[in-house]
Amino acid sequence: MPSRTISPKLRANAKRLRRDMTEAEARLWGQLRAHRLMGLKFRRQLPIAGYIADFACAEHKLIVELDGSQHAMGDVPDADLVRTRRLKEIGWTVVRFWNDDVMKDLNGVCDHILAVIREQGNDV
């Protein structure tokens, strides 16, 4: 991934989020890390376009976001839409899962990630 200027505040926040993962993030990271999912390279808490993506596969320009219940309240759903739209504008595909999906059906989440990559016309 090309090096871009990332604000010290954003970099520090990403580092904190890597250190303080939610239980669902830790479970999914266990499947994504070290090329475990069909050899795909994912990074976690990666700053992209002023946002911090939960998980990102740069090769396929795929971002995986995990959402807790706070993403269903207040202005957060609208902010998520703006964020997704901005990331799509710069060529990324964003897929979202509820934390509960990861906790109850981790294999299904991984299968869906692979299906999205295949839908983009990529081999995995």
Side-chain angles (χ1 to χ4, degrees):
M1 178 135 241
S3 179
R4 295 210 169 95
T5 304
I6 299 169
S7 75
K9 182 179 178 181
L10 191 63
R11 188 179 305 278
N13 196 24
K15 186 175 181 178
R16 180 187 55 78
L17 289 169
R18 282 191 291 273
R19 184 183 62 239
D20 299 332
M21 286 192 297
T22 66
E23 184 178 356
E25 288 171 339
R27 286 195 68 188
L28 183 56
W29 182 238
Q31 296 300 307
L32 299 178
R33 68 188 298 263
H35 306 268
R36 290 180 182 163
L37 185 64
M38 300 295 291
L40 297 168
K41 180 182 179 182
F42 277 88
R43 294 180 61 192
R44 62 189 170 124
Q45 305 304 340
L46 181 66
I48 301 173
Y51 300 105
I52 300 174
D54 288 340
F55 303 98
C57 177
E59 178 184 1
H60 298 290
K61 295 208 68 161
L62 176 68
I63 293 172
V64 177
E65 289 290 318
L66 298 187
D67 295 337
S69 59
Q70 73 277 11
H71 285 265
M73 297 184 286
D75 294 338
V76 178
D78 292 335
D80 285 343
L81 285 173
V82 168
R83 171 187 170 122
T84 297
R85 193 174 306 123
R86 171 67 181 119
L87 292 166
K88 286 178 87 169
E89 286 172 359
I90 61 171
W92 289 86
T93 298
V94 179
V95 292
R96 294 183 165 280
F97 299 98
W98 292 105
N99 287 343
D100 197 48
D101 294 335
V102 172
M103 300 306 291
K104 290 182 177 175
D105 187 16
L106 183 58
N107 289 334
V109 168
C110 291
D111 288 343
H112 186 81
I113 291 168
L114 294 172
V116 168
I117 291 172
R118 287 184 189 111
E119 286 172 12
Q120 294 174 334
N122 299 305
D123 292 328
V124 285

